[in-house]
Amino acid sequence: MKKYGIQKSEKEWKEELSPDEYYVLRQKGTERPFTGEYNLHFEQGDYHCKACKSKLFVSDTKFESGCGWPSFDQAIEGAIEYVRDTSHGMIRTETLCANCGSHLGHVFQDGPQDTTGQRFCVNSVSLKFNQ
Ligand code: FE
């Protein structure tokens, strides 16, 4: 098992997280598009991992992609772990919190061309916004 800064058993995560949070963060689930708390949320502040509170994204990098999930064109340096994901008949890059290994979403190369060209597509339920 990979050594993360935060080491918790699945039993501990299950006790701490809501059922929806546990499903997405620990079982790599996906919230339904256009339903998440932060999909159309554009206040100034920081987005942290819902599981371990590690800072992942800042509001200046958030944009409306139309995909139905919060989208960012950049992540905090070193905050994300990238994993090749071949599930569901696709080749994608999964994003995990580098501090606790919880699932965030995926990153795609169809983001804004005037910035990084990346689109971090993240489940709202994996995030906690702080002003
Ligand atoms: Fe985390």
Side-chain angles (χ1 to χ4, degrees), residues 49 51-54 97 99-102:
C49 173
C52 78
K53 317 302 180 214
S54 175
C97 171
N99 190 47
C100 75
S102 292

Side-chain angles (χ1 to χ4, degrees), residues 1-7 98-99:
M1 188 176 149
K2 188 174 184 302
K3 283 285 178 195
Y4 290 103
I6 299 286
Q7 294 280 310
N99 190 47

Side-chain angles (χ1 to χ4, degrees), residues 45-100:
D46 303 327
Y47 293 85
H48 297 248
C49 173
K50 180 69 76 61
C52 78
K53 317 302 180 214
S54 175
K55 186 170 161 180
L56 303 175
F57 301 98
V58 299
S59 57
D60 287 351
T61 65
K62 193 173 188 297
F63 68 100
E64 164 55 344
S65 69
C67 74
W69 292 277
S71 300
F72 302 85
D73 65 15
Q74 196 176 323
I76 299 280
E77 181 83 39
I80 305 289
E81 179 185 2
Y82 300 91
V83 177
R84 182 180 157 91
D85 175 9
T86 58
S87 67
H88 303 290
M90 295 177 270
I91 298 172
R92 296 180 293 174
T93 302
E94 181 190 0
T95 53
L96 306 176
C97 171
N99 190 47
C100 75

